[in-house]
């Protein structure tokens, strides 16, 4: 049976459907060609009985199972081309069910465009008019017989767009995670460089690159310039945060130290800020700037002005500046803030005193003999330029010798020399203990200035005890003790006359007016406190406590409020009812030495609000211009050596970020 001539205008999809090659609509066949003939009437330009016309179309690309892909088949572009050829007979035996007898040509995109351009505008206009007339005809294909078909080009674009969107949505979390990871890696690398004070060119080493590649193959190691820029950005964020802090604090103090590089003889001005944050003291190194080869007080003032502008520090909030005692720094502080605003570095005073002791012949001779005897065994303890290390070396030698007894080398100290060394160690023990106490547990810790007078007063009192004098059998140790007492008294007098040091001790509940030798000076400072009290009118509002928050009830806060009221009631009926705020403060018992002074004021503020407001102005002052561990031990030389690794333009940013906590680095 010959195949119907209508099939040259359709492409058979399966047993139930066929696709029109003219409009690309899919028509239900239902096993016959009735619907196909009806649909072709919608194309009046087509004469079904015209055997001279040939349909040129694209190859139909079918999926393995065309039934499953019905309604969503993706086709290549097809076009209709009218040709005029001689009429010829068609052999019915060569006709198959899946392929027409039409001439088939491969039409690519360029051929399709060429065919479209050949078609005349008149032909398209006639087609459009005929289609409009056909829609009104009575004999048409019903809607249920037509399967809606979306053109291939739109299908491809939509499919590509949806695939791209799906891939983007799936890849977005991974990209976000990758970006966040890279930020963490870069911050961690910058944290390592700054915190450990390593040079930037360290990341150029092949070994370091290999280590990073093994630990994180996806991380692209930045250049030293990029890392320096990243550290600079983090420093700007830190500066902005410190500006906000300094804008809210009522007062702060600065510490200044001039460090000199050993080889290049360049000097750097290191500045740290000290302030109260809630109930705790905070210290932060904010700048390290290079000084000229021949610097003076004006150069120092210029750099301090620059630092204040950079961090928006109001000079009226600066209570004082702590530095070593020399005319240069005192003049610089006077030019910047006015006279009487300089506080001597207590740690440096002790260092100078110990250095004078070590330089005495009777002490240095014993140390030199121990060095010759012990050699390399004492190298780690004995540090050149650190007087405290000489004392520790001699102290350790005496203890070891006492344990070895008679098993001593020939060049060891004799029995008389060992006895003398033991007495010298006993004389200097209070002074050495004071220096160790100042060092604390961290190389970056600044002790409070309120500790200076109590420590110096205690050392003096210990050296004057008769028990120590009775233990001394050598004239050398006796003379050394008197020498240390005289030097301490000279320095103690200077410290006692410094208003900032004196008021910081007076307003510390742990010490109050105890560590003073001069009663006249105590009376002078008490008068100043009363004058300030009268200027304020004697009425200072008590600061609101956060413990009043009922959302987080604290039983001890309730007890504290009850005890305060009871204490007030006792005072009103007792002998102290006529005592004012200042008198009652200095008549009260000394507080625990194990508690921070600001924490003690948390309980005392109810009774002494004026003194509490004044204490916050002085209790943040440090006792030293540098952390004492950097003054007394080899930590100072190590820090300077680490600073030498940095370039001048990078030094300030890297030192600023060196002591930032991990949360400030977003790690």
């Amino acid at each position: 049976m010959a195949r119907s001539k209508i099939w040259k205008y359709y492409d058979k999809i399966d047993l139930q459907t066929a696709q029109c090659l003219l409009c690309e609509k899919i028509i239900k066949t239902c096993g016959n060609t009735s619907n196909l003939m009806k649909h072709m009437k919608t194309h009046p330009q087509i004469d079904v009985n015209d055997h001279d016309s040939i349909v040129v179309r694209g190859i139909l690309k079918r999926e393995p199972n065309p039934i499953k892909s019905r309604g969503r088949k993706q086709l290549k572009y097809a076009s209709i081309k009218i040709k005029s050829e001689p009429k010829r007979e068609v052999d019915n035996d060569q006709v198959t069910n899946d392929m027409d007898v039409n001439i088939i040509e491969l039409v690519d995109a360029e051929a399709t465009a060429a065919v479209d351009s050949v078609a005349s505008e008149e032909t398209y206009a006639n087609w459009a008019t005929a289609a409009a007339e056909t829609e009104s005809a009575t004999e048409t294909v019903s809607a249920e017989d037509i399967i809606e078909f979306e053109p291939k080009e739109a299908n491809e674009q939509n499919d590509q767009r949806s695939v791209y969107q799906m891939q983007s949505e799936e890849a977005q979390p991974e990209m976000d995670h990758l970006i966040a990871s890279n930020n963490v890696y870069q911050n961690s690398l910058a944290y390592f460089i700054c915190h450990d004070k390593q040079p930037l060119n360290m990341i150029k080493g092949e070994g370091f690159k290999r280590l990073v590649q093994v630990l994180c193959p996806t991380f692209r190691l930045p250049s030293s310039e990029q890392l320096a820029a990243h550290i600079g950005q983090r420093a700007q964020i830190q500066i902005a945060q410190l500006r906000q802090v300094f804008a809210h604090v009522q007062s702060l103090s600065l510490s200044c130290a001039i460090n000199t590089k050993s080889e290049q003889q360049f000097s750097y001005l290191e500045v740290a800020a000290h302030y109260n944050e809630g109930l705790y003291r905070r210290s932060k190194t904010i700048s390290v700037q290079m000084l000229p080869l021949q610097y003076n007080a004006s150069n120092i003032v210029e750099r301090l002005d620059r630092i204040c502008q950079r961090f928006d520090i109001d000079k009226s909030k600066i209570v004082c500046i702590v530095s070593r005692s020399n005319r240069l720094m005192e003049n610089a502080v006077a030019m910047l803030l006015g006279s009487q605003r300089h506080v001597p570095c207590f740690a440096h005073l002790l260092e100078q005193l110990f250095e004078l002791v070590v330089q005495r012949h009777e002490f240095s001779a014993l140390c030199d003999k121990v060095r010759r005897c012990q050699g390399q065994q004492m190298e780690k303890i004995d540090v050149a330029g650190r007087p405290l290390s000489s004392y520790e070396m001699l102290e350790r030698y005496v203890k070891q010798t006492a344990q070895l007894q008679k098993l001593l080398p020939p060049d060891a100290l004799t029995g008389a020399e060992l006895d003398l060394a033991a007495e010298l160690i006993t004389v200097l023990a209070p002074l050495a203990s004071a220096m160790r106490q100042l060092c604390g547990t961290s190389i970056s810790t600044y002790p409070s200035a309120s500790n200076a007078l109590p420590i110096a007063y205690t050392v003096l009192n210990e050296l004057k005890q008769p028990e120590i004098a009775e233990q001394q059998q050598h004239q050398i140790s006796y003379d050394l003790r008197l020498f240390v007492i005289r030097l301490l008294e000279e320095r103690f007098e200077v410290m006692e006359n410094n208003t900032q040091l004196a008021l910081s001790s007076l307003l510390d509940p742990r010490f109050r007016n105890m560590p003073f030798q001069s009663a006249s000076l105590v009376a002078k400072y008490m008068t100043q406190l009363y004058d300030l009290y009268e200027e304020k009118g004697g009425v200072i509002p008590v600061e609101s406590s956060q413990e009043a928050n009922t959302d987080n009830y604290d039983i001890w806060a309730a007890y504290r409020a009850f005890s305060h009221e009871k204490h007030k009631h006792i005072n009103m009926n007792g002998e102290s009812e006529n005592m004012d705020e200042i008198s009652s403060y200095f008549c009260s018992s000394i507080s625990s030495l194990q508690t921070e002074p600001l924490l003690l004021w948390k309980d005392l503020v109810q009774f002494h609000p004026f003194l509490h407001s004044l204490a916050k102005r002085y209790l943040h002052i440090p006792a030293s211009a540098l952390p004492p561990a950097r003054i007394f031990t080899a930590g100072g030389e190590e820090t300077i050596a680490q600073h030498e690794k940095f370039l001048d333009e990078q030094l300030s940013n890297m030192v600023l970020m060196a002591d930032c906590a991990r949360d400030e680095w977003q790690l």
Side-chain angles (χ1 to χ4, degrees):
M1 180 177 179
R3 191 180 185 188
S4 175
K5 55 188 174 182
I6 195 63
W7 280 108
K8 78 175 186 177
Y9 301 103
Y10 288 93
D11 186 11
K12 189 174 183 180
I13 296 178
D14 54 37
L15 297 177
Q16 301 293 329
T17 57
Q19 183 182 22
C20 176
L21 296 179
L22 300 176
C23 63
E24 293 188 338
K25 285 188 177 181
I26 298 177
I27 310 301
K28 292 181 179 180
T29 61
C30 299
N32 54 50
T33 60
S34 300
N35 287 340
L36 303 182
M37 297 294 292
K38 291 179 182 179
H39 173 70
M40 193 52 57
K41 293 181 179 181
T42 62
H43 300 290
Q45 74 277 16
I46 300 299
D47 186 0
V48 178
N49 297 319
D50 185 5
H51 297 284
D52 295 334
S53 62
I54 297 175
V55 180
V56 179
R57 56 176 177 76
I59 296 176
L60 179 61
K61 184 180 180 181
R62 291 184 172 85
E63 295 180 2
N65 190 353
I67 297 178
K68 295 183 179 180
S69 61
R70 181 185 303 174
R72 57 183 180 89
K73 175 69 70 176
Q74 295 185 1
L75 305 176
K76 292 187 177 180
Y77 289 100
S79 62
I80 306 301
K81 186 175 181 181
I82 307 299
K83 290 186 177 180
S84 179
E85 292 184 0
K87 185 175 181 180
R88 63 177 179 174
E89 297 293 333
V90 179
D91 189 2
N92 294 334
D93 295 335
Q94 297 176 356
V95 179
T96 62
N97 293 331
D98 296 326
M99 183 176 291
D100 298 336
V101 295
N102 306 319
I103 298 176
I104 300 175
E105 295 180 1
L106 297 179
V107 184
D108 56 8
E110 295 181 357
T112 302
V115 172
D116 292 341
S117 63
V118 171
S120 64
E121 297 180 359
E122 180 179 358
T123 302
Y124 283 106
N126 293 335
W127 286 5
T129 304
E133 294 176 354
T134 306
E135 288 180 0
S136 61
T138 57
E139 188 179 1
T140 59
V141 181
S142 61
E144 63 182 4
D145 292 331
I146 298 177
I147 299 176
E148 294 296 333
F149 177 81
E150 188 175 358
K152 169 191 173 298
E153 183 177 0
N155 273 341
E156 285 187 345
Q157 292 178 354
N158 291 336
D159 290 344
Q160 291 177 359
R161 188 181 300 110
S162 61
V163 170
Y164 176 76
Q165 291 177 352
M166 291 175 61
Q167 292 177 349
S168 299
E169 292 175 357
E170 293 176 357
Q172 189 63 35
E174 184 177 354
M175 290 297 297
D176 293 342
H177 176 71
L178 182 61
I179 294 174
S181 299
N182 285 335
N183 290 335
V184 172
Y185 293 147
Q186 196 164 12
N187 285 338
S188 299
L189 180 60
Y191 173 78
F192 158 68
I193 293 293
C194 294
H195 187 270
D196 292 356
K197 298 180 175 62
Q198 298 295 331
L200 285 172
N201 57 10
M202 178 180 183
I203 64 175
K204 297 181 180 180
E206 291 299 326
F208 187 83
K209 291 180 180 179
R210 174 61 181 170
L211 175 63
V212 173
Q213 183 181 6
V214 171
L215 294 178
C216 183
T218 60
F219 177 58
R220 183 179 179 183
L221 195 66
S223 64
S224 57
E225 292 78 10
Q226 292 173 337
L227 184 58
H230 182 72
I231 294 174
Q233 293 175 357
R234 301 298 309 177
Q236 291 301 319
I237 297 174
Q238 182 69 11
I239 290 173
Q241 295 175 351
L242 288 175
R243 283 176 177 172
Q244 296 180 357
V245 171
F246 295 147
H248 291 87
V249 298
Q250 298 298 321
S251 61
L252 73 154
S253 56
L254 301 179
S255 60
C256 300
I258 298 177
N259 302 319
T260 302
K261 286 187 175 182
S262 56
E263 297 180 357
Q264 301 176 352
Q265 298 300 317
F266 287 149
S267 298
Y268 289 85
L269 178 67
E270 183 174 346
V271 180
H274 312 270
Y275 53 93
N276 295 326
E277 188 176 49
L279 300 177
Y280 300 94
R281 277 193 326 117
R282 302 298 184 198
S283 298
K284 181 73 175 180
T285 301
I286 58 177
S287 179
V288 178
Q289 296 187 21
M290 189 173 69
L291 292 169
L293 291 177
Q294 301 295 330
Y295 59 88
N296 52 32
S298 299
N299 301 131
I300 297 175
V301 172
E302 178 185 355
R303 281 152 180 78
L304 290 175
D305 272 326
R306 193 183 307 160
I307 293 171
C308 292
Q309 293 175 4
R310 187 184 188 190
F311 291 91
D312 289 340
I313 298 176
D314 188 354
K315 294 180 184 178
S316 62
K317 293 183 178 181
I318 303 176
V319 177
C320 62
I321 295 180
V322 180
S323 71
R324 295 186 177 185
S325 298
N326 56 60
R327 182 59 59 184
L328 179 65
M329 287 303 305
E330 291 176 3
N331 292 339
V333 174
M335 293 170 61
L336 183 70
L337 303 177
S339 58
Q340 306 300 322
R341 293 294 186 90
H342 179 264
V343 174
C345 174
F346 178 56
H348 183 244
L349 293 178
L350 293 181
E351 177 78 357
Q352 285 181 322
L353 192 151
F354 224 109
E355 186 175 2
L356 294 174
V357 171
V358 172
Q359 290 175 355
R360 290 176 66 91
H361 175 72
E362 55 270 22
F363 190 88
S364 61
L366 293 175
C367 292
D368 291 340
K369 191 170 183 179
V370 171
R371 292 188 184 99
R372 292 192 300 269
C373 175
Q374 295 294 312
Q376 297 180 354
Q377 298 181 14
M378 294 296 177
E379 286 184 357
K380 294 183 179 180
I381 302 175
D382 187 23
V383 180
R386 303 297 174 185
L388 182 60
S389 65
S390 298
Y391 169 84
E392 292 175 342
M393 177 191 67
L394 188 61
E395 181 184 35
R396 180 175 179 178
Y397 178 82
V398 172
K399 291 181 179 179
Q400 290 179 349
T401 304
Q403 296 175 355
L404 295 175
Q405 293 180 355
K406 296 182 180 181
L407 300 177
L408 298 176
D411 56 348
L413 297 182
T414 63
E417 290 174 335
L418 285 174
D419 293 340
L420 176 60
E423 289 189 10
L424 295 179
I425 290 172
T426 302
V427 170
L428 297 177
L431 190 59
S433 176
M435 298 172 71
R436 291 166 178 164
Q437 180 65 32
L438 283 178
C439 288
T441 58
S442 174
I443 198 171
S444 61
T445 302
Y446 288 83
S448 174
S450 62
N451 296 327
L453 284 176
I455 289 176
Y457 181 82
T458 304
V459 173
L460 268 176
N461 186 63
E462 286 295 308
L463 292 176
K464 292 180 179 180
Q465 292 296 322
E467 291 82 1
I468 296 182
E470 293 176 357
Q471 295 175 0
Q472 295 175 350
Q473 299 178 0
H474 294 79
Q475 184 66 31
I476 295 177
S477 59
Y478 178 81
D479 294 339
L480 180 64
R481 183 174 64 88
L482 296 180
F483 175 75
V484 174
I485 291 175
R486 178 172 59 82
L487 293 178
L488 264 178
E489 286 180 339
E490 292 175 357
R491 284 154 176 76
F492 189 85
E493 184 179 358
V494 174
M495 295 166 55
E496 204 175 24
N497 279 277
N498 187 279
T499 304
Q500 284 78 21
L501 282 178
L503 288 179
S504 62
S505 294
L506 287 169
L507 296 172
D508 192 328
R510 301 173 299 173
F511 310 122
R512 309 195 191 200
N513 58 351
M514 290 297 293
F516 287 87
Q517 286 188 328
S518 175
S520 60
L521 280 176
V522 174
K524 173 186 173 182
Y525 295 132
M526 293 287 289
T527 302
Q528 291 181 4
L529 291 177
Y530 275 108
D531 292 341
L532 292 173
Y533 184 74
E534 292 177 359
E535 289 179 6
K536 299 293 184 180
V539 179
I540 302 295
V542 178
E543 297 181 359
S544 59
S545 176
Q546 296 180 353
E547 295 173 347
N549 186 5
T550 56
D551 295 337
N552 188 16
Y553 184 81
D554 186 1
I555 188 65
W556 294 114
Y559 171 80
R560 188 178 293 109
F562 168 75
S563 61
H564 288 166
E565 292 298 327
K566 185 175 182 179
H567 184 74
K568 288 181 181 179
H569 180 73
I570 294 174
N571 286 343
M572 290 179 61
N573 298 328
E575 297 178 356
S576 60
E577 59 180 349
N578 295 325
M579 296 178 64
D580 54 61
E581 176 185 336
I582 298 176
S583 300
S584 61
Y585 170 76
F586 287 105
C587 291
S588 301
S589 58
I590 302 299
S591 302
S592 172
L593 296 176
Q594 304 301 322
T595 309
E596 289 293 326
L598 289 175
L599 293 175
L600 294 173
W601 271 111
K602 183 179 179 181
D603 295 331
L604 298 175
V605 63
Q606 299 289 335
F607 313 112
H608 315 288
F610 165 72
L611 293 179
H612 173 252
S613 64
L614 201 61
K616 293 189 299 181
R617 180 176 174 82
Y618 292 97
L619 290 181
H620 53 66
I621 301 175
S624 62
L626 288 173
R630 289 177 54 185
I631 298 176
F632 301 144
T633 67
E637 295 294 337
E638 294 176 0
T639 302
I640 295 177
Q642 289 170 338
H643 287 176
E644 291 179 358
K645 302 175 184 177
F646 304 148
L647 298 177
D648 295 336
E649 62 270 15
Q650 302 166 352
L651 180 58
S652 188
N653 287 337
M654 299 186 74
V655 172
L656 176 66
M657 300 302 298
D659 55 351
C660 287
R662 291 178 58 183
D663 57 344
E664 296 179 276
W665 282 94
Q666 298 179 353
L667 298 179

